[in-house]
Structure formats: structure tokens, C-alpha cells
Amino acid sequence: YKDQMFTQELTFTPKEACGSVELTFTIPGKALTGKTVVAFEQLEYKGVEVSVHKDINDKDQTVYYPQLKTSAKDSVSGTHQGYEDKMVTIIDTVEYTSLAPGKTYTVSGILMDKASGEPYLAGGKQVAAEVTFTPDKSDGTLELTFTFSGTGLTGHTLVVFETLSYNDLELAGHTEIDDQGQTVDYPRIYLGTTATDLLTETHQ
């Protein structure tokens, strides 16, 4: 849908000098994800333009369609791989696009166990984090921090699921269980050794 223009036209006969009409634009949803769109209008009479409203900065004509991109990493290793400890922390960097500046949003996250596809339980409880913020620009980044008991974490692969909401209405989400950028692995480590005498190069 790149560089494609979406237009709509309505022909009407007003009954009064002042009034209103509605234009409905039907657009494929994927074309809007992460976009900020502005409606331009022009009024014609018998093919002659009599009025126009084309202001790219007009907030009343603007609609935002947010998108989230994320990257989760273990706080100690700084990578997508960590190791079991009494307490562990995963830092999820969330990149957002196309938010309305000055509005208050909430980003919520939960840790999922990749093997089961269910929420990961630490001490019998789900591991979640939430940040409420008011952006001054449409695009930016923020961090979700998950700190939880790492006991029994070895052998698990965790995936962070996030949602963006405004006034309790979910606007966007990033919930892909196979997304490597959202994944932190805690592998089993096998350590094998062999000891030999320096002179005989044997075990004797």
C-alpha cells in the first residue's frame, strides 16, 4: 500500500446553508499500522473548486494507528540469553510509533513460556510489568522491567507479550511466540572435564 492514495467522494444537495455530511474511507488495516493519517477535503460546484481544507498539521483531521516493536534482553548478560539465579531481570525495550502526543497510554507486558504457550509462573504467579506514559512525540521508546525469582528457570525460554492501551481500549499489541527479538533463553549448561597427569598424559 506504499504511496497509494485513498479517496472518497460524496455528491449531495444541501437543504440549508449550514450543515454537515460524512465521508467514509474504507482502507485495508495493514496499510494503516504504524501510520498517522490526515484527511484532506475539497468542495466543488459544477466542477469548480469553491472551498478546500488541506492542513497536514490539523489535529482534528488526524487519526493515529499505533505500532509496537520490542527487544527483550537479560539484564546481566545484555543478550537474549541468561542464566538461573535467585532473582533475574528482563528488560524489554519497546519502540512505539504513531501515538497522539499529549495523550496518556499504558504499555502492559507479560512473560510467556514458549514451550507451553502459557504465561510463565514464578512462585506460582504470573510475571507482568506495566508503564503509563504521556508521549510528547508520536514516536519513541520506553522500557518494561520484569524482576522475578529465577529459581527453576533453567531450561525455559521466555517470550515477552506486550499490549498498548488508551482509556482501557487496546490499540496495538506484539504477541508473537516465535519472535526472537522478544525472546530470552535460559539454557541448561553441561560441564564435562578430563584430568590427566602432565608427564604420562594418562589418568595414572
Side-chain angles (χ1 to χ4, degrees), residues 195-204:
T196 59
D197 179 82
L198 178 63
L199 295 179
T200 65
E201 296 183 351
T202 69
H203 297 292
Q204 183 171 319

Side-chain angles (χ1 to χ4, degrees), residues 23 101 158:
L23 284 178
L158 305 183

Side-chain angles (χ1 to χ4, degrees), residues 13-202:
T13 302
K15 295 182 179 179
E16 298 179 1
C18 298
S20 64
V21 294
E22 289 186 352
L23 284 178
T24 301
F25 296 85
T26 301
I27 304 170
K30 289 184 179 180
L32 296 175
T33 303
K35 305 292 184 183
T36 300
V37 297
V38 183
F40 283 8
E41 306 89 3
Q42 63 186 43
L43 178 67
E44 295 182 1
Y45 176 69
K46 292 185 177 181
V48 178
E49 184 179 289
V50 295
S51 182
V52 64
H53 192 185
K54 296 181 179 181
D55 182 359
I56 196 69
N57 296 312
D58 191 327
K59 294 182 179 180
D60 290 334
Q61 292 177 263
T62 302
V63 183
Y64 300 85
Y65 294 91
Q67 182 178 31
L68 299 181
K69 296 180 180 179
T70 66
S71 177
K73 296 180 180 179
D74 179 83
S75 65
V76 175
S77 69
T79 69
H80 295 289
Q81 182 170 299
Y83 301 98
E84 181 176 327
D85 203 345
K86 291 182 179 180
M87 296 296 293
V88 297
T89 298
I90 291 176
I91 298 177
D92 186 32
T93 302
V94 181
E95 178 184 349
Y96 58 83
T97 57
S98 192
L99 298 189
K103 301 295 184 180
T104 300
Y105 297 88
T106 298
V107 172
S108 303
I110 187 171
L111 298 184
M112 304 292 290
D113 190 312
K114 185 173 183 179
S116 67
E118 299 293 330
Y120 177 76
L121 302 180
K125 296 182 179 180
Q126 295 183 11
V127 183
E130 185 175 280
V131 173
T132 297
F133 66 107
T134 303
D136 54 5
K137 296 181 180 180
S138 290
D139 303 342
T141 60
L142 57 83
E143 288 186 349
L144 284 179
T145 301
F146 303 84
T147 299
F148 57 100
S149 170
T151 302
L153 188 56
T154 296
H156 289 273
T157 297
L158 305 183
V159 184
V160 185
F161 279 12
E162 305 91 353
T163 58
L164 172 75
S165 60
Y166 172 73
N167 286 345
D168 296 324
L169 176 65
E170 186 176 317
L171 301 179
H174 196 186
T175 57
E176 300 175 25
I177 199 69
D178 294 318
D179 190 325
Q180 292 301 313
Q182 293 175 263
T183 300
V184 182
D185 186 39
Y186 293 88
R188 298 184 186 278
I189 302 174
Y190 297 96
L191 181 63
T193 65
T194 298
T196 59
D197 179 82
L198 178 63
L199 295 179
T200 65
E201 296 183 351
T202 69

